[in-house]
Amino acid sequence: MIATAGHVDHGKSALLRALTGMEPDRWEEERRRGLTIDLGFVWTYTGRGPIAFVDVPGHERFVGNMLAGVGPVPAVLFVVAADEGWMAQSAEHLMALHALGVDHGVLAVTKVDMMEPELAADEALDQIGRTSLGRIPWVGVSARTGQGLPELRDALDDLVARLPASDAAAPVRLWVDRSFIVRGAGLVVTGTLTAGTIRSGDTLELARTAQRFVVREMQSLNQRAGEAVGVARVALNLRGAQRGAIRRGDALMTPGTYRCTSLIDARLRLCAPADLPRELLVHVGTATVECGVRPIGADTARFTLGTALPLRVGDRVVLRHDRGVAGGAGVLDVDPPALNRRGAALRRAGDLVAYPDTPDGMSELHRRGIVRAGTLRAIGVEPPPVPATAGDWLVDPDVARALRARLTALVTGRAHDPSAAPLGVEDARKALDLPDARLVPALLRPPLAVRNGVIVHAEAPDTLAPTVREAVEKLERRLADRGFTVPTGDDLAVLGLRTAEIAAAVRAGRLIRLVPGVVLLPDTVRCAVGVLARLPQPFTAGEAREALGTTRKVIVPLLEYLALRGSTRRMADGRHVVTGR
């Protein structure tokens, strides 16, 4: 996709007619006045495939429409007339292209049937060479006689071949430039797909309202298409979209992939913050929104947009005031911090100096410390590979080292206290102020490990504090070889096994609590199953109580526990049978 650019009446539309055989001026008024007012779209086929063009107005009154045309397009056909040379709108269009960072193009010097092109070409190339376009080829042409058209087609072919390949797997952000109703089909929108893939049947989200629409049918260059891969010119028939629901400047995007924001920090191009008015217009894609400007640093400013837009780090925008294009800006942050406290703007200016113009995942992670990978992708940054991850959480390596040291200190501190219980994962999360408990295991290094929700030494037999483990071991020794024995509350208390200690031992699997006040060792339960298995099957609760020499207070919850484990089964008549499990 290639956009035209250049001064009014320098022959942009006439040149496209000669190249494509199509009429770029869609409106009767445009053809009657010989003046392009709105965007036009035409295409032609060469040996390398189709080349599509967006024709933009050259008149200063329609700069907004011009910016909507060049905003989503990766390359330009810059047009300068041989008889007039470099003009005011030539400079303004070039400034907009430079602000957007467009770096691929061809210069066409038109009307060579009226004057030699070299002088106009030299002047234009001198101006263009100082911008992001740099050194570009030029061709002298005449739309009236056809002179130079074959050479221009070759130059355009070479231009398309030099364009970097777009990312077919990227999320879609289609800036809409036209919206109209087709009888019998409904709403159709058009735009330039710069990256990603759209297929018939896909669901797209309207950034402005978060409404979702299904692509019922799609065309590219007037041909029905089941799939379109950027860069491509597309027309989408959207199921369920009503007249007026979508307009120029709207963006259709892959659901959940872009963050709409009305507050951005940006680095200015071609202008200084102090030179800008406090209110101006921002152009991005095909959108034009009002914007408040707050200077921050020598070349940075905060923009407050009148309408939230789906922007990403690295996006380029054009700034315009009532006198024309003022410059441009590169988006540095789409989720900037508030500047409410004294000195906050000065500190922020210092921070923004280190922000790269090109999105960098590791730099963004370093600034945020801990962030979700999806959040980075939504702001336009590819998540970097890092060792500390949990789910889609990423931890900056420096932050991970500091957190790991704090976590180790917490665990070590408890290990030196014989009565202290091990550190629970949730307690560790709160102590480290982590956003997700899953990050705790990700920060651990051997010999520490998580077991039953607490952090222990990997070789520890259980998760108990040393004093509690010692008390349980004493109980085990006391009850060894004593068959089915239920320790009393006093027995447990003497050993230091009170409510908290018993609960910890139950979590560790060293004790079984049937009901409050009834605690057994796992070996005691296994002994009980062996005794009950020797009874005539089935048996009653009373027969079980007598066989084990215990009380009803114990036998009833024991039989319920064994049934839940599947060791016994209660029959319809209320009797029990050992299942053997």
Side-chain angles (χ1 to χ4, degrees), residues 161-185:
R162 292 196 306 272
L163 290 176
S166 66
D167 184 1
V172 168
R173 180 177 58 175
L174 178 71
W175 294 101
V176 175
D177 50 44
R178 290 182 64 202
S179 173
F180 51 91
I181 295 293
V182 173
R183 186 184 298 274

Side-chain angles (χ1 to χ4, degrees), residues 206-262:
L206 182 62
R208 178 168 47 85
T209 64
Q211 290 175 279
R212 296 189 176 186
F213 302 100
V214 175
V215 179
R216 174 188 290 156
E217 185 180 333
M218 177 169 55
Q219 289 189 357
S220 181
L221 307 185
N222 271 6
Q223 300 293 318
R224 180 175 292 187
E227 176 182 281
V229 179
V231 175
R233 186 73 192 157
V234 296
L236 309 179
N237 178 213
L238 301 177
R239 183 180 296 123
Q242 304 300 316
R243 182 189 296 272
I246 304 175
R247 54 181 183 259
R248 176 179 291 179
D250 276 332
L252 290 165
M253 56 192 187
T254 303
T257 57
Y258 279 81
R259 168 180 288 180
C260 285
T261 181
S262 57

